[in-house]
Amino acid sequence: MASWISMEEACRLLAVQAQTVYAYVSRGKLEVMTDPGDTRRSLYRAEDVAALARRKQAGRKHETLATNTLFGAQPSIPTALSSFLRGHLYYRGQDAVSLAGSYSLEDAARLLWAAGQPVEFSSPKPARSHKPGRVAAFTALAALAASGHSTHGRLTRVLHTEGQALVGQLAASFGAQAGREALHLRFAQGWGLPQEVAELLRTAMVLLADHELTSSAFAARIAASTGASLPACLLAGLTTLSGPLHGDASGRVQALFDEVERQGEEQVVSHYLSTAMPLAGFGHHLYPDGDPRAAALLALFEPPKVISRFIRKVADLTGLQPNIDVALAALVATYQLPADAAFGLFATARSVGLLAHSLEQLGVTQVIRPRGRYVGQAPDVAQAARP
């Protein structure tokens, strides 16, 4: 029988913080199970912990250190924007869920950008060449990136003004009405939604504004470190965000909900669990006790009954709680939002964080340039030396 140890013991043996242990689990290096004596806690396979500890004690060569810095659990870039502590997300030290109770996305941008003046995402009317959605958004942003000016040698307040226009342009591309009102109101107007739904959009976007050093934030920072234009930095981040394992994960959940509505929750859950297929949108390695963003948003509305039953059933049978992707997909299903609304809200909200990371990176006068660790065929040195 395998032996299991607590989080505290795993952290002690590995000399790491809890966040690193969660990352080991997400990467398949550490097996986890629910504590039979306390379902709120988890236990970790002692054998896996011991193997990881031996690997650490063996010492790390230069190339191993470089690899682990890039792909490992601990971020390699310092940031003052957002952080995680005891299962909560913080923007500049303030609890994101608490902020979402009253903040607008404009307020969140002012906080994350450390802007001295109120932020306003004024936007033009969307171009008629594309219907609202990601095609219009990426096309407009690519055109701006192609002609944008380098971020170097420009005052922060000027970049803030440009950033506001970029977020406004992005929102318009996804269907937000032109104007100077808060973005959640303009999205509601553009999508024909009542005031109470506008409040849900506001909450969702504040919760999505940033999430520490994600892959999209890293991509935006790399672009910023080269002196690329602000729209180019944002485009680098958003193209990374568009992956189904990142910001477009709610699309996978929407497909799952479609199955539930056609077949019923019993059949769908049974099929997925009996075939060991992962259920999109459940569990999050940074939030082992549940994604607080999802809990906060789902508490504000009642999804269709079949979806509510499905969420409860999955949580009961797997122990995994719904994450923010489930909450977004449920919002779309409940209020029959446009098909691309979940990604549109995510992309617009996270553009605030991506721009914040780009601006923060400008304070570091060094290009981000990881080294490759070559593992291919050995070079023919003798042939290269021939005249």
Side-chain angles (χ1 to χ4, degrees):
M1 293 289 290
S3 60
W4 301 83
I5 60 177
S6 67
M7 167 64 81
E8 293 75 16
E9 183 68 2
C11 288
R12 186 185 68 79
L13 292 173
L14 293 170
V16 297
Q17 297 179 346
Q19 182 180 343
T20 304
V21 174
Y22 299 147
Y24 283 143
V25 172
S26 71
R27 290 155 55 197
K29 293 188 174 184
L30 191 58
E31 189 173 345
V32 63
M33 66 170 286
T34 301
D35 187 345
D38 185 354
T39 57
R40 296 171 299 177
R41 297 170 58 85
S42 297
L43 298 176
Y44 303 86
R45 185 183 288 272
E47 182 180 350
D48 293 346
V49 173
L52 287 170
R54 286 194 299 270
R55 198 175 307 161
K56 287 171 65 72
Q57 291 170 357
R60 294 182 288 182
K61 296 181 180 179
H62 175 76
E63 61 269 19
T64 305
L65 177 60
T67 301
N68 289 347
T69 299
L70 184 57
F71 295 103
Q74 295 296 333
S76 58
I77 295 177
T79 177
L81 298 178
S82 61
S83 61
F84 308 106
L85 179 64
R86 298 176 181 172
H88 290 268
L89 171 65
Y90 294 86
Y91 297 158
R92 292 195 182 275
Q94 299 188 51
D95 187 283
V97 171
S98 297
L99 294 179
S102 59
Y103 265 39
S104 65
L105 186 61
E106 289 80 358
D107 296 327
R110 184 176 185 181
L111 174 64
L112 288 169
W113 295 358
Q117 300 295 325
V119 170
E120 181 183 289
F121 299 132
S122 59
S123 61
K125 293 182 179 180
R128 295 182 179 276
S129 56
H130 300 284
K131 66 179 182 180
R134 70 183 72 193
V135 173
F138 282 102
T139 300
L141 193 54
L144 293 170
S147 58
H149 300 293
S150 171
T151 51
H152 285 189
R154 302 171 67 195
L155 296 178
T156 300
R157 62 176 175 80
V158 174
L159 295 175
H160 283 170
T161 299
E162 184 176 6
Q164 292 176 66
L166 289 172
V167 178
Q169 175 69 64
L170 193 65
S173 297
F174 281 108
Q177 196 170 82
R180 303 184 66 174
E181 294 178 285
L183 269 190
H184 64 279
L185 296 175
R186 285 160 36 210
F187 265 120
Q189 292 163 3
W191 292 343
L193 302 171
Q195 174 67 35
E196 58 267 24
V197 183
E199 279 297 296
L200 295 176
L201 303 184
R202 178 193 61 74
T203 301
M205 287 196 290
V206 173
L207 293 171
L208 291 165
D210 195 42
H211 209 235
E212 205 233 36
L213 195 63
T214 59
S215 51
S216 55
F218 189 40
R221 280 180 174 269
I222 291 173
S225 77
T226 70
S229 68
L230 211 54
C233 296
L234 182 55
L235 183 60
L238 287 179
T239 52
T240 307
L241 184 83
S242 68
L245 301 182
H246 191 5
D248 203 20
S250 55
R252 298 163 60 212
V253 180
Q254 286 177 260
L256 188 60
F257 284 173
D258 289 342
E259 289 185 55
V260 172
E261 290 176 342
R262 290 195 309 269
Q263 304 173 26
E265 73 278 7
E266 294 285 348
Q267 185 170 341
V268 172
V269 172
S270 177
H271 172 67
Y272 274 78
L273 294 186
S274 64
T275 56
M277 293 171 60
L279 287 152
F282 288 86
H284 196 298
H285 70 277
L286 291 173
Y287 306 115
D289 297 323
D291 187 340
R293 301 169 301 168
L297 187 55
L298 286 170
L300 300 178
F301 68 97
E302 183 63 39
K305 291 183 179 179
V306 66
I307 291 178
S308 293
R309 292 197 301 267
F310 172 72
I311 293 173
R312 287 196 298 270
K313 191 170 188 65
V314 173
D316 289 342
L317 290 177
T318 68
L320 300 173
Q321 298 301 315
N323 62 33
I324 191 63
D325 301 312
V326 167
L328 272 182
L331 187 65
V332 170
T334 303
Y335 297 101
Q336 299 183 335
L337 304 185
D340 217 18
F343 180 72
L345 290 170
F346 203 145
T348 302
R350 188 56 59 84
S351 67
V352 167
L354 295 177
L355 289 169
H357 280 278
S358 300
L359 293 167
E360 187 177 57
Q361 190 62 37
L362 296 179
V364 182
T365 57
Q366 185 177 0
V367 174
I368 299 174
R369 204 295 192 187
R371 291 301 308 275
R373 185 168 58 93
Y374 183 68
V375 295
Q377 180 177 336
D380 189 339
V381 180
Q383 184 178 15
R386 295 186 191 117

